[in-house]
């Protein structure tokens, strides 16, 4: 079965950077849509970035454009999320998610989900 394991969360101050990684295993297809979903305390989930590993441009939420970058490392079955210029509003759980195809931009309709990694940004 498909497993997604996130790593790289932690605590930083405003303006700092973190790099999240998602290791995927158990796929039966060569390419997949990989996404990172942010859930802030008491708020709805938000897809902050998504990319199809078979090619194509990435999707970014307006709130993270210019600050976050999603990158697939296909040889390692890993997708990373480089987060720069972090702000307190970026605090929350970050989930890696995957599916055989990408949902509509911004929709968190992925079939497979990791357990999440916590990011805390202090002011």
């Amino acid at each position: 079965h498909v497993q997604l394991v996130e790593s790289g969360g932690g605590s930083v101050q405003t303006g700092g950077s973190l790099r999240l990684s998602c290791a995927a295993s158990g796929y039966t297809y060569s390419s997949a849509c990989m996404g990172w979903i942010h859930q802030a305390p008491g708020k709805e989930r938000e897809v902050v970035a998504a990319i199809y590993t078979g090619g194509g441009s990435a999707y970014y939420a307006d709130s993270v454009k210019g600050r976050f970058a999603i990158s697939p490392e296909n040889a390692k079955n890993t997708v990373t999320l480089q987060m720069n210029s972090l702000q307190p509003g970026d605090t929350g759980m970050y989930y890696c998610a995957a599916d055989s195809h990408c949902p509509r931009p911004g929709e968190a309709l992925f079939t497979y989900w990791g357990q999440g990694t916590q990011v805390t940004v202090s002011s």
Side-chain angles (χ1 to χ4, degrees):
H1 64 284
V2 176
Q3 279 193 310
L4 304 174
V5 179
E6 303 97 335
S7 61
S11 297
V12 296
Q13 292 188 325
T14 297
S17 297
L18 284 173
R19 184 179 177 88
L20 306 183
S21 291
C22 174
S25 62
Y27 283 140
T28 59
Y29 33 84
S30 58
S31 300
C33 185
M34 305 292 295
W36 285 97
I37 294 87
H38 172 219
Q39 184 153 29
K43 295 190 176 181
E44 295 290 320
R45 295 180 303 186
E46 179 187 29
V47 179
V48 295
I51 193 166
Y52 185 68
T53 63
S57 57
Y59 163 85
Y60 294 100
D62 288 343
S63 59
V64 306
K65 281 180 181 175
R67 300 189 298 123
F68 290 11
I70 186 171
S71 300
E73 298 181 18
N74 293 342
K76 300 179 182 179
N77 285 336
T78 298
V79 63
T80 62
L81 183 69
Q82 178 66 41
M83 305 189 296
N84 299 325
S85 301
L86 283 161
Q87 303 165 4
D90 297 319
T91 293
M93 288 293 288
Y94 283 78
Y95 298 92
C96 176
D99 210 317
S100 59
H101 60 278
C102 285
R104 287 187 293 185
E107 289 188 343
L109 298 177
F110 293 88
T111 299
Y112 306 105
W113 291 74
Q115 293 298 308
T117 186
Q118 176 69 34
V119 170
T120 302
V121 185
S122 57
S123 56

